[in-house]
Amino acid sequence: MAECTEESTMCDPRHALLLQSVQSGLPLVHRPYAELGQRIGMSETEVIGLLSEWVAAGIIKRIGVVVRHRSLGYDANAMVVWDVPDGRIGDVGRRMSAFDFVTLCYRRPRQGDAWPYNLFCMIHGKDRANVLAQIELLAASCDLTDVPRDVLFSRRCFKQRGARYAARALAAS
Amino acid sequence: MMNDLERTIVNGLQGGFPICERPFLAAAERLGIGEEELIEGVRGLLDQGVLSRFGPLYHAERMGGALTLAALKVPEADFEAVAEAVNAFPEVAHNYARDHALNMWFVVATDKPERCLEVIDEIEAATGLHVYNMPKLAEYFVGLRLEV
């Protein structure tokens, strides 16, 4: 029996069914939520209600499109990593994420000598020189000119897909 | 190359899609295009592979699952074989080759928190390499929006 914690909203098998059915994508029809409901025996109103609830609860960040950035010419995909003193990291992270060319910004654990960096940000650009200039701008405006940093451009993407989740209730059955 | 309609759609839908009876109609009105144009436009962009998905983006932790970023130091000669072994795990969501001694970076997403560390162990066993596991400790930004 799979564990069913309080935080898990997916314990209701009907919820799990909706989650599974919407996971592969929204149907491209005039009333996609009615169509989803029809597949699993739920009304359009119920589907709309549940999805809205999940968005409000933050379980779904949003419904939208995921762009394969390479197909749009965003080839200069840089992971920029910094070794920020622990006491400054919250402040630096917030300042950095305010730049609109920074698309993701996370604190992650250092890995000893092999990897001294604790702040990661992503910049998706069309041009390497431009991305490097943006990194200089970040360093100057966040007081990071003296901290160790590295820039890891991607060479190849082997796999890009959305994460998929099997709901717990289904895993249990 | 994308036409103006496709560009409008890509830029307009990254921020979110309505949840209501006629969501394509609502979104199309906001973008100043027709409902049918929007539906067919999204279909075309999915077919061309410009969009990899059209649907909900989940928050892994709030779903009760887990997500981590991991890296490997792969000897160049073994790169293809290791990539194949890593990508064979259904829990591996993205995998990128990057220019660094740590040259392979991938995301592991699992629907149960404990499964995440198991997958890391299994990848170590399958590749014979140490996996550097770097789950996020704090997040300062979440959106990913590319203007086209």
Side-chain angles (χ1 to χ4, degrees):
Chain A
M1 190 65 195
E3 180 195 10
C4 212
T5 60
E6 269 177 62
E7 308 92 83
S8 172
T9 32
M10 296 305 156
C11 294
D12 182 331
R14 299 182 71 238
H15 294 191
L17 219 50
L18 173 60
L19 175 83
Q20 206 185 36
S21 119
V22 74
Q23 180 147 255
S24 53
L26 277 192
L28 301 174
V29 297
H30 291 118
R31 295 174 68 172
Y33 303 114
E35 163 87 27
L36 278 176
Q38 213 160 43
R39 291 180 195 166
I40 58 171
M42 221 183 249
S43 74
E44 182 181 35
T45 314
E46 251 183 304
V47 171
I48 288 176
L50 273 174
L51 291 177
S52 306
E53 223 174 88
W54 293 345
V55 170
I59 294 167
I60 292 179
K61 289 183 190 176
R62 63 175 184 278
I63 294 181
V65 297
V66 176
V67 176
R68 229 186 280 266
H69 47 260
R70 295 204 154 212
S71 69
L72 299 181
Y74 283 85
D75 289 332
N77 153 351
M79 185 170 83
V80 191
V81 294
W82 318 74
D83 176 10
V84 181
D86 289 338
R88 290 184 55 203
I89 195 162
D91 179 49
V92 168
R94 278 183 294 275
R95 280 160 76 180
M96 204 173 269
S97 63
F99 286 82
D100 59 3
F101 54 82
V102 172
T103 48
L104 293 166
C105 187
Y106 294 119
R107 178 180 188 178
R108 297 184 184 279
R110 296 186 179 88
Q111 306 285 304
D113 291 340
W115 188 260
Y117 309 108
N118 59 346
L119 186 65
F120 291 54
C121 71
M122 296 295 308
I123 300 179
H124 286 83
K126 292 186 175 177
D127 172 71
R128 234 172 230 240
N130 192 27
V131 168
L132 291 172
Q134 288 170 326
I135 294 168
E136 288 304 329
L137 175 65
L138 276 185
S141 19
C142 300
D143 260 326
L144 293 174
T145 46
D146 292 336
V147 316
R149 67 168 194 245
D150 207 340
V151 182
L152 285 74
F153 281 103
S154 61
R155 263 192 292 150
R156 265 172 75 190
C157 171
F158 293 104
K159 198 171 181 183
Q160 189 191 2
R161 65 157 179 81
R164 301 185 69 88
Y165 303 97
R168 290 186 178 198
L170 287 182
S173 62
Chain B
M1 268 286 78
M2 257 189 285
N3 60 36
D4 288 346
L5 175 66
E6 291 172 330
R7 203 167 286 124
T8 301
I9 294 172
V10 170
N11 288 336
L13 294 190
Q14 287 183 70
F17 186 73
I19 304 177
C20 58
E21 283 186 14
R22 297 283 293 271
F24 286 101
L25 182 64
E29 279 173 355
R30 187 162 49 85
L31 299 175
I33 60 179
E35 182 183 25
E36 208 59 44
E37 268 183 310
L38 178 57
I39 293 176
E40 289 317 309
V42 170
R43 197 190 311 280
L45 289 164
L46 284 166
D47 288 348
Q48 292 165 47
V50 172
L51 301 180
S52 61
R53 255 172 86 67
F54 172 60
L57 306 176
Y58 299 107
H59 190 297
E61 293 87 352
R62 290 189 197 148
M63 289 270 308
L67 197 70
T68 193
L69 176 69
L72 291 173
K73 204 179 272 187
V74 186
E76 281 304 323
D78 303 336
F79 207 88
E80 295 302 320
V82 170
E84 205 170 304
V86 170
N87 292 346
F89 285 84
E91 294 90 352
V92 170
H94 307 258
N95 189 358
Y96 284 93
R98 294 190 181 276
D99 296 318
H100 190 272
L102 292 177
N103 53 359
M104 187 179 291
W105 290 79
F106 51 94
V107 169
V108 175
T110 61
D111 51 12
K112 290 183 198 169
E114 61 275 18
R115 178 71 190 136
C116 205
L117 284 177
E118 287 171 14
V119 172
I120 298 279
D121 285 345
E122 288 168 21
I123 291 175
E124 289 193 331
T127 61
L129 298 169
H130 174 67
V131 174
Y132 294 85
N133 182 20
M134 292 172 262
K136 78 172 176 206
L137 303 176
E139 178 168 356
Y140 303 104
F141 191 79
V142 285
L144 174 56
R145 230 189 118 72
L146 304 171
E147 284 295 323
V148 297

